[in-house]
Amino acid sequence: MLLVLISGLALGALYGMTAIVYNVTYSTAKVLSFGTGHFAMVGGIIGAFLILGLHWPIWAGLLGCLLVGALFGYATELLAVRRVLVSSDQHLWVLSTLALAIMVQEAMGLWWGTDPTPFPHLFAQQRGGLLDQKYWLPIIAAALMAGGLEIFYRHTLLGKIFVAVSEDDFAARARGLDTGRVRTLSFVMAGTLGALSGFAAGQLTFADFNLGTTLSLAGFIAAALGGIGSSLGAMVGGVVMGLLTAFTSHFFGAEYQKTIAIGLLALVLVSRPQGLFGRPLMRDV
Amino acid sequence: MIVTRLHSSALGRRSLLIAAAAAPLAMPAIRSARAASAPIKLGFVVALTGAFATNAQAINFGFQKALGEINAGGGLLGRMLEAITRDSAAEPTKAVSFTKELLFNNDVDMIGGPTNSGEVLPTLGVVTAAKKIQIISGSVDQLIDPVKYPYAFRCLNKAGQWFTVSVKYTLDGLRRRKVAIINDNSGFGVLAMQSVEHVLKAAGVTPVYRVNADIGQPDMTDEINKARDAGADVVHLWSNSTGFLARVLNARGQQNWNVPVIAIPAVLQEQVANLLTSRAYWANVYSPAYANSVLDAKGNLPPATQTFLDRYKSEVGPFMAAGIYAMLQGYNIPMIYAAGVRKAGTVDTVAVKQALESIPTIDLPYGPFHFSPTDHDGFPDDGMVMVAANSLHPNGGFEAAPAGGAG
């Protein structure tokens, strides 16, 4: 039973990290990039390529992976978001971010191959079971990511600028803030964090070009469950999703895990549309 | 001068009139002569990208080599073969579109592929309606039906043969009867569950545990523990996903449960071994494979397989990971079609169909094929042999599985 718990927590941590990455871009641009899970996919594959393929040391592999993630985030903002936001009030970024993500996914499939490939062990470890690093690495990374973002938003100038843009874009601009640059920076940050999540969970997911779509969906559900815009909610939503998936599979059978997990999500959203930690939408009258 | 010119002019008009009158009569003969020298077109729908691309690329390699060999030998009926290849990216909708394009725009003489069962199914009706020979490369049993799809033939074993041979080895070779089945939730995984249960039931065995787990489930420890708690003494594992196979084997190894595993031939691929936390987890894993890849007592491959590998030894390297049989499977497609055309003496679909149904045996490196009016599967059960997954030799061959397993 403990293994079910730890496995569910690890999976939940990965979902939670993806949900947090959704929030990073949503906060500044009000855009939910549907290529969010693809940041993790790219992180896993680049990490495996640099460490196993080019034999870089792990720290260099991690840095390289974060750099590529940052570039991917920047490209997403530049190619799929910036012009769409300028030229349309409609939510066309749903299509543009998804299209770019699919292009990247197909490119990775052509370059890396379509079969999952191994991800390196980051630490020498003889024993598996409950202490297996494939479970603990995503959990630790998720905790660090959530904590680090809280510190960033509350205690750094740049973080406070992010919050200001998030709360009132117009007022921030009136105060002279370059909100476009903040938005770009948020996508760079999202790409970096997404790549980090893929790197941390690489042993759990393998380096797999197909991972992005699954994660984009699961992360979005976690974000919606926790309340879009809330980091705490994203993490709780992810963990709830992960545990629900693991325990549903354990008690009712793996055939029903998605049906029950998503069914429960639908129930939560019907009864509490703003999610567990989101604020209800207030409208001036 | 003028008279002469008038004279020649009169002659020209007469010639022109005669030529105009004769032209409609001559056109079929011209067309026929052109057709007789035009290449025979083979449309090939193959998932070179997308899921299962590694396998499909090896199949494509074999296909192109067979085509080259036939052309080097003078072609068929004095005509060269021309392949028109389309990458379906493992998407059924693309497979159907490309099949239609090949049939109706490129006017191909036959269709090879698609190379995944899920893609084959929606193309069968289209090719049947167009009345063309189709040599499919999908293993699901239901794809071949000589009544519904009279021009479709299979170039590999059918999945049912995997299950029959595997269950026989489970019960008679390993002497195990407490079977757990862990499949993924893809169409193949669900169908395989029904088929294995059906074969087991015929032998009076009911699985002690069965599950169609999510194909992307990152950790299979819970499923392995539940199978063990249910008292299983053997695990059947049917999934086309190398990631899924590796996760189950990793979970089994990490739980120190050395239960024998009977799995789909994909488990023999090096990609699966690369995904294992320890290569030791590949032990005590068995799979139905092909006599064409089984080593004799001296470690030699069957002569026909070795000849194929020797002929292309500078090129086969990148495709060995998918297994020799994948290359040979692709090699079958033009070769089976060529056998039918040679016997029929024409590319006419009905004649080729009847020829294929009447050839006693088509001997190929993959194995012998024998089609009949009621059987378009063709590959015999004894062409399949159980092998141990970790017995892969550098030459690409496997050792036959020991009668009692690894213990």
Side-chain angles (χ1 to χ4, degrees):
Chain A
M1 187 59 75
L2 269 176
L3 259 175
V4 179
L5 178 70
I6 193 77
S7 158
L9 277 176
L11 194 58
L14 178 59
Y15 294 162
M17 285 190 280
T18 312
I20 281 182
V21 176
Y22 268 110
N23 280 338
V24 170
T25 55
Y26 185 77
S27 65
T28 57
K30 297 291 175 278
V31 166
L32 289 165
S33 169
F34 280 84
T36 298
H38 295 74
F39 293 147
M41 177 270 289
V42 167
I45 288 179
I46 295 295
F49 169 65
L50 295 178
I51 298 170
L52 290 179
L54 301 185
H55 306 291
W56 285 18
I58 289 169
W59 65 267
L62 173 61
L63 280 181
C65 148
L66 298 184
L67 184 67
V68 173
L71 286 174
F72 184 15
Y74 177 70
T76 302
E77 198 276 336
L78 182 69
L79 302 174
V81 175
R82 192 181 297 179
R83 289 189 61 78
V84 171
L85 285 183
V86 168
S87 57
S88 170
D89 287 337
Q90 307 299 321
H91 293 173
L92 288 179
W93 39 260
V94 172
L95 288 177
S96 58
T97 54
L98 189 60
L100 181 68
I102 290 171
M103 284 164 64
V104 169
Q105 174 175 313
E106 293 303 312
M108 292 304 264
L110 287 172
W111 168 64
W112 184 250
T114 51
D115 284 311
T117 49
F119 192 86
H121 292 276
L122 302 185
F123 306 103
Q125 186 179 29
Q126 292 299 320
R127 292 192 58 184
L130 284 173
L131 297 175
D132 196 319
Q133 57 185 295
K134 75 177 178 186
Y135 300 128
W136 288 104
L137 280 171
I139 293 172
I140 291 168
L144 289 176
M145 193 183 289
L149 272 178
E150 274 309 299
I151 293 170
F152 173 74
Y153 285 134
R154 286 172 190 265
H155 300 291
T156 69
L157 181 61
L158 189 58
K160 286 175 181 170
I161 291 173
F162 269 55
V163 174
V165 172
S166 159
E167 289 186 349
D168 195 331
D169 177 76
F170 185 77
R173 253 183 295 163
R175 285 281 184 172
L177 289 177
D178 185 346
T179 53
R181 189 172 290 176
V182 172
R183 187 182 61 217
T184 305
L185 206 56
S186 74
F187 272 86
V188 170
M189 206 162 98
T192 311
L193 294 177
L196 175 66
S197 69
F199 191 90
Q203 293 175 61
L204 200 61
T205 61
F206 299 134
D208 185 358
F209 94 116
N210 247 333
L211 179 68
T213 311
T214 314
L215 262 191
S216 289
L217 179 65
F220 177 72
I221 293 174
L225 186 64
I228 287 173
S230 160
S231 291
L232 174 66
M235 196 46 72
V236 172
V239 169
V240 168
M241 270 281 292
L243 291 178
L244 208 57
T245 303
F247 281 103
T248 302
S249 171
H250 182 75
F251 288 113
F252 300 101
E255 291 93 338
Y256 306 105
Q257 65 180 34
K258 277 194 175 157
T259 313
I260 294 179
I262 295 176
L264 198 70
L265 166 80
L267 272 179
V268 169
L269 292 184
V270 165
S271 57
R272 196 176 161 79
Q274 71 272 29
L276 296 173
F277 292 87
R279 282 174 296 187
L281 183 67
M282 306 296 280
R283 195 172 58 181
D284 295 329
V285 290
Chain B
M1 186 70 182
I2 292 171
V3 174
T4 310
R5 197 163 58 221
L6 282 172
H7 184 72
S8 11
S9 174
L11 272 177
R13 272 198 299 274
R14 201 176 300 139
S15 304
L16 199 68
L17 282 170
I18 292 167
L25 299 172
M27 281 309 282
I30 293 166
R31 249 186 243 127
S32 165
R34 192 179 297 158
S37 61
I40 297 172
K41 294 182 191 171
L42 279 64
F44 188 31
V45 183
V46 54
L48 293 172
T49 56
F52 320 124
T54 308
N55 208 42
Q57 285 163 7
I59 292 172
N60 182 51
F61 174 80
F63 181 96
Q64 303 298 344
K65 291 303 160 197
L67 204 80
E69 285 181 23
I70 295 168
N71 281 339
L76 289 176
L77 312 177
R79 296 165 65 186
M80 291 293 110
L81 300 190
E82 177 190 333
I84 306 176
T85 304
R86 292 288 179 268
D87 174 13
S88 63
E91 293 178 26
T93 49
K94 281 190 183 171
V96 173
S97 301
F98 284 137
T99 301
K100 285 180 178 170
E101 182 204 344
L102 290 167
L103 288 169
F104 305 121
N105 294 357
N106 301 107
D107 198 22
V108 296
D109 294 288
M110 64 84 71
I111 292 285
T115 48
N116 297 319
S117 295
E119 296 171 65
V120 171
L121 185 61
T123 64
L124 285 167
V126 177
V127 185
T128 302
K131 219 174 168 184
K132 296 286 182 188
I133 294 288
Q134 182 176 17
I135 299 181
I136 66 164
S137 188
S139 63
V140 168
D141 293 27
Q142 289 79 355
L143 297 175
I144 287 294
D145 182 337
V147 176
K148 273 170 79 179
Y149 313 117
Y151 310 115
F153 294 81
R154 202 193 302 266
C155 75
L156 69 162
N157 67 293
K158 58 180 177 180
Q161 291 174 302
W162 287 337
F163 308 135
T164 311
V165 172
S166 298
V167 168
K168 186 171 166 33
Y169 181 69
T170 304
L171 304 178
D172 301 340
L174 296 174
R175 299 190 180 282
R176 312 266 174 147
R177 297 182 74 81
K178 293 175 183 168
V179 182
I181 311 173
I182 301 178
N183 290 6
D184 67 39
N185 62 350
S186 68
F188 173 78
V190 172
L191 210 59
M193 177 67 77
Q194 294 166 359
S195 302
V196 175
E197 283 189 307
H198 179 74
V199 181
L200 282 170
K201 194 175 172 188
V205 174
T206 304
V208 295
Y209 180 70
R210 63 188 293 289
V211 64
N212 283 109
D214 190 290
I215 197 165
Q217 192 167 317
D219 187 12
M220 300 302 296
T221 308
D222 195 33
E223 301 308 332
I224 279 292
N225 284 339
K226 284 199 275 188
R228 179 157 60 179
D229 293 346
D233 59 12
V234 60
V235 171
H236 269 246
L237 175 57
W238 299 96
S239 166
N240 275 316
S241 160
T242 49
F244 187 90
L245 297 172
R247 287 186 180 104
V248 174
L249 296 183
N250 276 336
R252 180 193 69 142
Q254 282 158 359
Q255 295 305 301
N256 295 315
W257 188 31
N258 190 30
V259 66
V261 173
I262 309 288
I264 189 169
V267 83
L268 305 173
Q269 295 178 2
E270 192 66 19
Q271 293 107 296
V272 174
N274 290 339
L275 292 173
L276 298 178
T277 309
S278 160
R279 218 168 165 91
Y281 298 167
W282 216 18
N284 213 10
V285 177
Y286 308 99
S287 171
Y290 306 91
N292 60 46
S293 307
V294 175
L295 303 168
D296 64 16
K298 292 180 181 169
N300 295 322
L301 285 162
T305 306
Q306 193 58 57
T307 304
F308 176 87
L309 293 178
D310 290 343
R311 195 178 300 149
Y312 303 111
K313 63 183 168 194
S314 63
E315 300 171 71
V316 293
F319 307 104
M320 290 296 278
I324 297 171
Y325 51 86
M327 288 183 270
L328 298 181
Q329 187 179 315
Y331 187 84
N332 289 342
I333 297 173
M335 288 300 183
I336 289 173
Y337 181 66
V341 171
R342 280 197 195 101
K343 170 96 191 273
T346 169
V347 293
D348 175 73
T349 301
V350 175
V352 174
K353 167 189 178 295
Q354 288 170 346
L356 284 173
E357 289 170 347
S358 63
I359 297 173
T361 305
I362 303 172
D363 269 317
L364 293 168
Y366 187 91
F369 283 84
H370 167 67
F371 301 110
S372 74
T374 54
D375 179 12
H376 285 192
D377 281 310
F379 190 68
D381 280 356
D382 60 13
M384 312 215 66
V385 180
M386 291 299 293
V387 299
N390 64 350
S391 70
L392 177 63
H393 282 228
N395 63 3
F398 290 90
E399 293 167 17

